[in-house]
Amino acid sequence: KLLSTHENLHESNQIQCAGVSHDGRIVVTGAEDGLVCVWRVSKDGPRGSRRLRLEKALCAHTAKVTCLRVSQPYMMIASGSDDCTVIIWDLSSLSFVRQLPDFPVPISAIYINDLTGEIATAAGTVLAVWSINGDCLAVANTSQLPSDSVLSVTGSTSSDWLETSWYVTGHQSGAVKVWRMIHCTDPVSAESKTSSSNRTGGLNLGDQVPEYKLILHKVLKFH
């Protein structure tokens, strides 16, 4: 059932992505104008239809917003842009929290694990996982083909007794790849040899060395 339709939320700029809070009370949109707009949903429209009231337009990106994710358990919004940046916003105060280190190419997908607060980002063929504090936990080059970009990313949020984090990427080629994130001290990690150039995926991490590795578990080729 269609509850409501909303037009011109970013004036004449096309909306590129949207997210919603778990309770359905907040909708967040990202558009060509580089703005991340936070809307409160109310049911006081005619015949119980939804109205959107602008809470705040968040400004920091300098190019179109390509992807975003809302995490109510961690009260944050993560947004990615064609300006090669990922920005973390506070969902309660609607303010800038931090920017992750610059990426070499535009951001194509973002995912927040509502169980752990980990943030997964995709830019080109590079998949990276970050802590809620902005530390890079793991990074991997997902494909040998530069054209096989990651277009979507998700993860598992099963109960936290599971010691392993799992992430899944969807690719330009139609492949779906399943990744297991393991600590560098894990014996399986020692078997997986990674060159130093691939270890950071072109990200400028300074002195930071990721504590975990992303190991390719399976490739699903049906699309």
Side-chain angles (χ1 to χ4, degrees):
K1 181 186 174 185
L2 179 65
L3 296 174
S4 57
T5 304
H6 308 272
E7 296 182 339
N8 300 321
L9 295 182
H10 289 252
E11 296 179 341
S12 60
N13 294 284
Q14 279 198 346
I15 292 173
Q16 300 292 318
C17 49
V20 65
S21 61
H22 281 281
D23 61 11
R25 293 178 182 176
I26 295 289
V27 170
V28 183
T29 54
E32 286 178 327
D33 54 10
L35 294 178
V36 175
C37 289
V38 183
W39 309 84
R40 186 163 294 280
V41 182
S42 62
K43 298 180 183 178
D44 57 2
R47 297 179 184 175
S49 66
R50 271 59 171 173
R51 287 184 191 271
L52 294 185
R53 188 180 78 245
L54 182 63
E55 291 281 295
K56 195 170 183 181
L58 306 174
C59 310
H61 290 298
T62 58
K64 77 177 178 186
V65 179
T66 52
C67 49
L68 60 82
R69 187 85 182 193
V70 181
S71 172
Q72 202 160 11
Y74 284 89
M75 292 305 285
M76 69 172 161
I77 302 165
S79 59
S81 168
D82 264 357
D83 64 9
C84 305
T85 66
V86 170
I87 291 174
I88 311 300
W89 312 87
D90 188 301
L91 184 56
S92 54
S93 63
L94 300 183
S95 58
F96 177 94
V97 177
R98 68 175 51 85
Q99 179 181 318
L100 298 183
D102 282 355
F103 292 76
V105 294
I107 317 303
S108 54
I110 282 183
Y111 168 77
I112 300 175
N113 187 321
D114 282 337
L115 200 66
T116 62
E118 290 171 357
I119 303 155
T121 60
T125 59
V126 175
L127 171 67
V129 181
W130 311 79
S131 74
I132 194 170
N133 298 318
D135 297 321
C136 186
L137 300 176
V139 61
N141 187 7
T142 61
S143 178
Q144 299 306 312
L145 297 170
S147 60
D148 193 20
S149 300
V150 180
L151 301 181
S152 55
V153 59
T154 189
S156 65
T157 49
S158 38
S159 54
D160 38 10
W161 56 261
L162 270 179
E163 292 173 16
T164 311
S165 292
W166 295 88
Y167 289 97
V168 182
T169 50
H171 294 256
Q172 182 83 45
S173 63
V176 173
K177 299 184 180 184
V178 182
W179 303 86
R180 184 177 166 213
M181 192 169 90
I182 59 172
H183 199 270
C184 287
T185 56
D186 191 301
V188 179
S189 174
E191 294 166 17
S192 165
K193 292 180 170 58
T194 312
S195 70
S196 57
S197 60
N198 282 344
R199 212 167 288 153
T200 60
L203 295 173
N204 181 16
L205 299 177
D207 298 332
Q208 202 181 81
V209 178
E211 277 185 62
Y212 295 82
K213 272 187 181 177
L214 288 158
I215 307 294
L216 184 60
H217 178 72
K218 193 154 191 178
V219 181
L220 306 172
K221 288 185 176 177
F222 292 95
H223 292 300

